[in-house]
Amino acid sequence: MAAFGGVPIRRVLVAAIAALAMGCLCSGCSGLPTVRAADRAAAAELLKTISRAEQAAIARRAPIYRDPALESRLGAVLEKLLRPLGERPDAVRIVLLSDPQPDAYSYPDGTIYLHTGLLACLENEAELALLLAHELIHVTRGHALQVVEASLAERDRETASEDASGGLRLAARWSAWMDVSRRIHQRRALEEEADRLGLDLVMRAHYDPRQALAIFDNVADEALGVLSAERLAALRTCVADRWPAVSRQTAPRDGFRSDLQFLLLHQAQNDAQLGRWHHALKSARRFLRDSPDQAQGHYLLAEILRQRQGPGDWDQALAHYRESIRLNPRCPKSRKAAGLLHLRQGRFDLARAHFESALALSPSPGDAAYLASYLETLPITSKGDSL
Amino acid sequence: MRLRMWLCLIAAVLCVACAHAGGKPALSFNVAVPEGWKQVDTDEPMLFITKDGGYKQFVLIRERPLSEPFHFSQKVMHAGTMPEEAAEIVVHELLSDTNIRNFSLLENIPARIDGRRGFRLSFIYTDADGFLFKTLYFGFIDGNRFYNIRYAATQEEIYQKDLVTFEKVLQSFKLVAAKAP
């Protein structure tokens, strides 16, 4: 489950190793918690320090995405998952970050970060439940702490081997390599545990696990890259083994997709800004699939196609501008953009007609200035195209 | 002592070699640097001038080939790109820039620069060190190059005070020669 859960442990681990290295370099300094002894308290303290620093960096880096309907949905799913765990509803909080990368991660204080880029990939509430359940398992099972403890133990062994004679250095290096290998396995084991127990939790919360596993078909290719086929196969086997026993439970039509609509628009805009055309088009088309009569969806899709400038894109863009104008004839933006495309293609009369109609609809001062500049420079021709 | 002399000699040779191997390409524009403003040397194809330091105010004039994608959005401009489309690409680059926070576009209008059709943006943002900049950004395409002329200041009173100076710099901007692709 690479898209969610894999990254935070790695981040914590890297930060832990960096902190340990710092501790080794300046053993006399007191800025870090005592990390010499691989005891649980020191590891917990170190983890707290690292987590605080990382979360502060996240707060500086990515803006929080606000969407009351979606937040309410997330809260309800979380509550359903926390109940079987016997955890208080306030034990965990979700922070939605406006970030196009499909990612999710959690911290030991119970904060789960979800990127809009990942949420935009989801098709149903069961997928969301699996995503949250995976992170909840990381939090409640103390996975990050386990990784830091292992790193501390490793460092202690390395420190001990430094005192050994030269003849033992090779053995120490070998031991260090073994530790790295073990660490990777440990991380993978933790991910698998989060997968397995998370899926179990999803079932206990009465979600259809088959629907939940569809997340792997829906998340972007790059996010799936780290997820091994074996892990996914193991999850599917787990469902096949257990689901018949609870197959009477059916997930209701949950309205999840309608709660995602604004996020899809937001995500399409974000991806278009970054030139991630494939993702932007995917989000805009998903928006229109559920809201075909929304002029803003057609406008956004047309804008993405206009900017991408691939073969046939401008013709498709014009079709969506037309649909946007049909659905909302009072919006000047689609008219102006359609005019720009006609202008680029040398259809000056059509461009003029669109610019004039846009100008008549009280556009923003900036748009009005551009429209005036286009009209000022447009040649008058006798060629008449139909839109 | 002899070792130090050798080191100095090697360093000097390396400096000369670097200067010959690369160095700053000639700029294809001229502007009048205002009195009291200093030019800060860079290896990039740009002119950076300031009166009191870059964290007070600066004017930055930069040229770039159209084929060079923007760093964060990876978008490119083309010879047929309209000024409004070029402005859109610049705004997207700024919005995608991970060193910029709290970007807010105040104005996006057409403009003429050295007689060429272009655009004018006005925006504010916070940089990675937490300084708030107010910026005026002019851009236009000429041939196969994109030119941008920007003025930024960290305090409103400084911004207003040096705005007139910047307008003189802008008026003095002239392309000197068409550059080879």
Side-chain angles (χ1 to χ4, degrees):
Chain A
M1 216 164 284
F4 36 101
V7 175
I9 302 244
R10 186 166 68 241
R11 283 180 188 156
V12 167
L13 183 60
V14 168
I17 292 166
L20 289 169
M22 201 188 289
C24 292
L25 288 171
C26 53
S27 53
C29 70
S30 57
L32 284 168
T34 309
V35 291
R36 282 283 173 187
D39 58 82
R40 200 172 180 86
E45 194 57 35
L46 176 61
L47 183 58
K48 218 183 280 181
T49 308
I50 294 165
S51 298
R52 267 199 299 265
E54 282 203 9
Q55 287 179 275
I58 291 167
R60 284 194 298 272
R61 178 181 61 79
I64 290 177
Y65 175 76
R66 293 281 180 211
D67 183 336
L70 189 57
E71 284 165 36
S72 164
R73 167 80 56 176
L74 290 168
V77 175
L78 189 61
E79 205 179 321
K80 274 168 92 172
L81 294 168
L82 285 169
R83 217 172 292 140
L85 286 173
E87 294 280 351
R88 295 189 330 272
D90 62 351
V92 176
R93 75 181 181 114
I94 299 172
V95 178
L96 262 177
L97 296 177
S98 176
D99 190 320
Q101 296 302 325
D103 207 352
Y105 35 91
S106 52
Y107 282 88
D109 69 352
T111 307
I112 296 174
Y113 292 93
L114 293 182
H115 287 193
T116 50
L118 182 53
L119 279 180
C121 298
L122 307 185
E123 287 282 349
N124 63 60
E125 189 176 301
E127 292 175 39
L128 173 65
L130 182 56
L131 173 62
L132 290 176
H134 179 98
E135 293 308 322
L136 275 176
I137 298 301
H138 278 319
V139 173
T140 55
R141 305 284 290 192
H143 284 172
L145 185 61
Q146 289 180 41
V147 172
V148 174
E149 279 176 346
S151 302
L152 286 169
E154 180 197 331
R155 194 217 52 179
D156 281 350
R157 273 195 299 279
E158 279 174 3
T159 308
S161 68
E162 276 170 17
D163 301 332
S165 66
L168 290 174
R169 287 213 179 112
L170 187 64
R173 272 192 216 133
W174 172 253
S175 162
W177 184 86
M178 287 294 286
D179 277 335
V180 170
S181 171
R182 186 181 51 75
R183 215 161 48 204
I184 292 165
H185 280 296
Q186 181 192 31
R187 179 174 163 254
R188 190 173 158 168
L190 294 177
E191 288 301 315
E192 284 170 357
E193 184 176 66
D195 287 348
R196 192 168 30 80
L197 297 181
L199 190 62
D200 186 59
L201 185 55
V202 162
M203 289 192 262
R204 284 161 66 195
H206 308 295
Y207 287 102
D208 182 338
R210 286 167 304 197
Q211 282 189 5
L213 287 179
I215 190 172
F216 297 110
D217 299 322
N218 296 329
V219 297
D221 294 344
E222 68 263 36
L224 269 176
V226 195
L227 178 80
S228 68
E230 303 92 76
R231 267 175 72 189
L232 184 53
L235 286 172
R236 291 200 196 285
T237 308
C238 180
V239 170
D241 289 348
R242 293 217 30 217
W243 185 241
V246 284
S247 60
R248 281 183 202 155
Q249 299 159 359
T250 51
R253 286 185 68 80
D254 50 31
F256 174 71
R257 275 167 33 181
S258 65
D259 284 347
L260 270 191
Q261 289 300 82
F262 284 115
L263 181 133
L264 287 173
L265 282 182
H266 173 84
Q267 192 57 31
Q269 272 165 346
N270 269 358
D271 280 325
Q273 273 166 25
L274 286 165
R276 290 160 43 109
W277 307 121
H278 170 74
H279 296 86
L281 288 171
K282 193 175 162 190
S283 291
R285 287 185 172 130
R286 282 189 59 207
F287 175 87
L288 282 174
R289 183 189 60 188
D290 292 334
S291 308
D293 294 334
Q294 290 290 321
Q296 58 183 336
H298 288 283
Y299 172 71
L300 183 56
L301 182 53
E303 284 287 277
I304 297 163
L305 290 163
R306 174 182 65 77
Q307 292 171 52
R308 188 173 71 165
Q309 300 183 35
D313 277 353
W314 282 1
D315 289 339
Q316 279 190 63
L318 278 172
H320 284 286
Y321 284 132
R322 269 199 296 270
E323 189 60 6
S324 170
I325 292 166
R326 187 185 69 77
L327 291 165
N328 183 7
R330 302 289 309 159
C331 177
K333 280 195 171 296
S334 289
R335 292 177 189 274
K336 173 169 149 288
L340 192 59
L341 275 191
H342 286 303
L343 176 60
R344 289 290 303 268
Q345 294 174 313
R347 295 193 286 260
F348 300 126
D349 284 356
L350 273 172
R352 180 180 294 281
H354 278 293
F355 291 148
E356 283 174 347
S357 63
L359 205 51
L361 290 170
S362 307
S364 68
D367 283 346
Y370 275 112
L371 286 164
S373 77
Y374 295 140
L375 287 168
E376 200 179 285
T377 52
L378 262 177
I380 295 170
T381 67
S382 57
K383 190 182 167 194
D385 294 84
S386 62
L387 181 62
Chain B
M1 190 64 179
R2 183 175 286 183
L3 177 66
R4 195 174 295 171
M5 277 176 61
W6 272 110
L7 286 173
C8 288
L9 188 63
I10 290 166
V13 169
L14 282 174
C15 285
V16 171
C18 289
H20 280 284
K24 184 172 174 168
L27 298 173
S28 60
F29 58 84
N30 271 339
V31 294
V33 177
E35 202 175 328
W37 287 57
K38 297 173 285 287
Q39 185 173 335
V40 178
D41 285 333
T42 71
D43 289 335
E44 300 289 314
M46 63 175 169
L47 175 80
F48 186 99
I49 56 174
T50 178
K51 190 171 69 177
D52 307 305
Y55 279 95
K56 292 283 186 193
Q57 83 284 87
F58 66 82
V59 172
L60 173 66
I61 306 176
R62 189 184 181 119
E63 57 179 286
R64 54 186 295 150
L66 293 184
S67 56
E68 184 184 321
F70 281 85
H71 181 70
F72 291 99
S73 67
Q74 291 299 303
K75 291 185 179 174
V76 288
M77 295 177 183
H78 306 280
T81 301
M82 307 282 286
E84 187 179 7
E85 294 169 317
E88 181 179 56
I89 290 173
V90 170
V91 169
H92 286 177
E93 176 68 7
L94 291 164
L95 283 166
S96 310
D97 189 334
T98 51
N99 299 311
I100 285 179
R101 294 196 299 275
N102 307 319
F103 174 84
S104 177
L105 183 64
L106 307 174
E107 185 184 52
N108 175 3
I109 55 170
R112 281 202 177 263
I113 304 107
D114 189 22
R116 289 160 176 85
R117 291 175 62 210
F119 63 88
R120 168 190 151 133
L121 302 174
S122 169
F123 54 85
I124 51 172
Y125 67 91
T126 312
D127 78 352
D129 296 313
F131 287 93
L132 189 135
F133 283 89
K134 186 172 181 182
T135 302
L136 257 186
Y137 186 118
F138 289 80
F140 69 95
I141 290 171
D142 184 78
N144 56 8
R145 298 185 87 74
F146 172 64
Y147 294 83
N148 63 77
I149 304 160
R150 72 181 90 166
Y151 162 63
T154 47
Q155 289 168 35
E156 182 64 27
E157 60 265 33
I158 296 175
Y159 178 89
Q160 292 301 339
K161 201 169 119 230
D162 291 317
L163 189 56
V164 179
T165 309
F166 167 67
E167 280 161 1
K168 285 179 187 159
V169 173
L170 185 66
Q171 291 301 318
S172 74
F173 177 90
K174 292 279 177 286
L175 288 185
V176 288
K179 290 203 76 169

